Amino acid sequence: MNRDLGRVEGKLDALIETVKQQGEKSDASRARQYERIEAVERNTHDLDGRMKTVEGTVQKMSPLVEEFGRIKQRGVGMLMLLGLVWLIIGGLVVQALQWVIGKLAQIGG
């Protein structure tokens, strides 16, 4: 009976040791999880600060970008108008040359 009781005590001691080791492993695992969560929170906080900085910069740049767009559209319109003027001038020059050539042909011929 003492021998049986000794075996039960040995098994109980082994079981207690196993439970103790598992508890320590769980504590260490939870500590790592908390560290990871804290790291994620720090990163989120840093990203939030960066995002606010970017939003502020974009807000400051927005009027400049809009003004650039307006200037660009004006430039495109001016180029189109200039092209039309050159087309008209070119047509007038061709017409004038035809008239001069016609007059020279009449005089010469």
Side-chain angles (χ1 to χ4, degrees):
M1 173 111 157
N2 281 340
R3 198 187 300 149
D4 290 336
L5 192 57
R7 274 190 282 192
V8 169
E9 282 179 351
K11 288 181 180 181
L12 257 171
D13 288 341
L15 184 60
I16 289 170
E17 186 62 30
T18 301
V19 169
K20 183 178 173 184
Q21 289 173 355
Q22 286 178 348
E24 290 171 357
K25 287 180 184 178
S26 293
D27 290 345
S29 177
R30 274 194 298 279
R32 284 192 304 272
Q33 286 177 348
Y34 288 133
E35 288 172 4
R36 289 180 191 151
I37 290 171
E38 288 174 4
V40 168
E41 286 176 351
R42 282 191 302 271
N43 288 340
T44 302
H45 182 18
D46 291 345
L47 288 174
D48 187 45
R50 290 179 185 174
M51 183 64 84
K52 287 180 182 177
T53 301
V54 169
E55 287 174 347
T57 302
V58 168
Q59 256 183 345
K60 290 176 187 175
M61 290 174 47
S62 181
L64 297 174
V65 171
E66 290 172 5
E67 181 65 23
F68 177 76
R70 283 192 291 273
I71 291 172
K72 182 180 175 186
Q73 288 299 318
R74 287 180 189 158
V76 169
M78 290 173 68
L79 286 175
M80 289 175 64
L81 182 62
L82 187 62
L84 181 63
V85 168
W86 277 111
L87 181 65
I88 292 171
I89 290 173
L92 291 175
V93 168
V94 168
Q95 286 293 321
L97 286 174
Q98 285 179 347
W99 181 78
V100 169
I101 292 171
K103 288 294 181 182
L104 288 175
Q106 286 177 356
I107 294 174

